[in-house]
Amino acid sequence: AALLHDIGKLGISNLILDKPGPLSDAERAEMMRHPFYTYKILERVACFRALAHDAAAHHERLDGHGYHRGLNAAQLSITARILAVADICEALSAERPYRAALPYDDVLKIMRRDVGAGICPVAFDALEDLLLRSTRKVQHELQTYSYAA
């Protein structure tokens, strides 16, 4: 599901996907259709059919205010919750045509504000733990393997 969640963007114009500035209301509405397109594509392929629901749920929120279906916590699998958290992290930490990539500290601060209402606390805690452990490991390796010039 993670590798295919954005396949629906194939149905979105590159003029929207690559736009360097804010989207218009109409462009935003079209962009918000990509999870629906993801579902429609994956449900047609037998080996991906079981992934379609979770892959298309990556913009849903626990409070039901997400898109494209407005699903709430009771309707979201743990897979969909993890995918949503990973997608938000990737979106914030990747460079975009309209802004620079954010460092993980900023990403976690932004995401933490939405934990419980929109973001699954368990999935967020796992992401935070992973990022913090990775950061500590890299820092340790840099200190261990740094050479004096």
Side-chain angles (χ1 to χ4, degrees):
L3 294 175
L4 298 170
H5 76 280
D6 272 341
I7 197 167
K9 286 185 178 179
L10 292 171
I12 307 297
S13 167
N14 282 346
L15 295 174
I16 294 173
L17 293 173
D18 298 332
K19 187 173 180 179
L23 299 178
S24 70
D25 289 344
E27 290 167 332
R28 189 173 303 101
E30 182 58 24
M31 185 64 157
M32 290 173 69
R33 293 185 54 76
H34 83 271
F36 170 75
Y37 297 148
T38 291
Y39 182 80
K40 295 309 271 182
I41 291 167
L42 296 179
E43 76 168 349
R44 301 179 115 216
V45 181
C47 64
F48 296 143
R49 197 168 292 133
L51 305 174
H53 184 76
D54 287 335
H58 64 282
H59 287 291
E60 301 291 353
R61 294 172 43 92
L62 299 180
D63 59 14
H65 291 113
Y67 63 92
H68 77 280
R69 292 171 285 189
L71 302 177
N72 64 34
Q75 298 167 300
L76 295 170
S77 70
I78 190 63
T79 302
R81 294 168 185 226
I82 293 168
L83 186 54
V85 166
D87 188 59
I88 294 167
C89 179
E90 190 281 330
L92 293 171
S93 63
E95 188 169 325
R96 298 293 190 197
Y98 50 87
R99 64 151 177 80
L102 298 176
Y104 284 129
D105 286 345
D106 292 347
V107 169
L108 293 173
K109 285 178 195 170
I110 290 167
M111 291 179 71
R112 192 173 289 110
R113 288 182 249 161
D114 211 21
V115 169
I119 295 174
C120 173
V122 174
F124 176 78
D125 288 348
L127 171 72
E128 185 175 43
D129 183 57
L130 175 70
L131 292 177
L132 293 175
R133 277 189 292 127
S134 295
T135 300
R136 283 193 300 268
K137 182 178 179 184
V138 168
Q139 289 170 342
H140 173 74
E141 288 178 6
L142 287 173
Q143 290 171 351
T144 302
Y145 300 108
S146 63
Y147 298 96

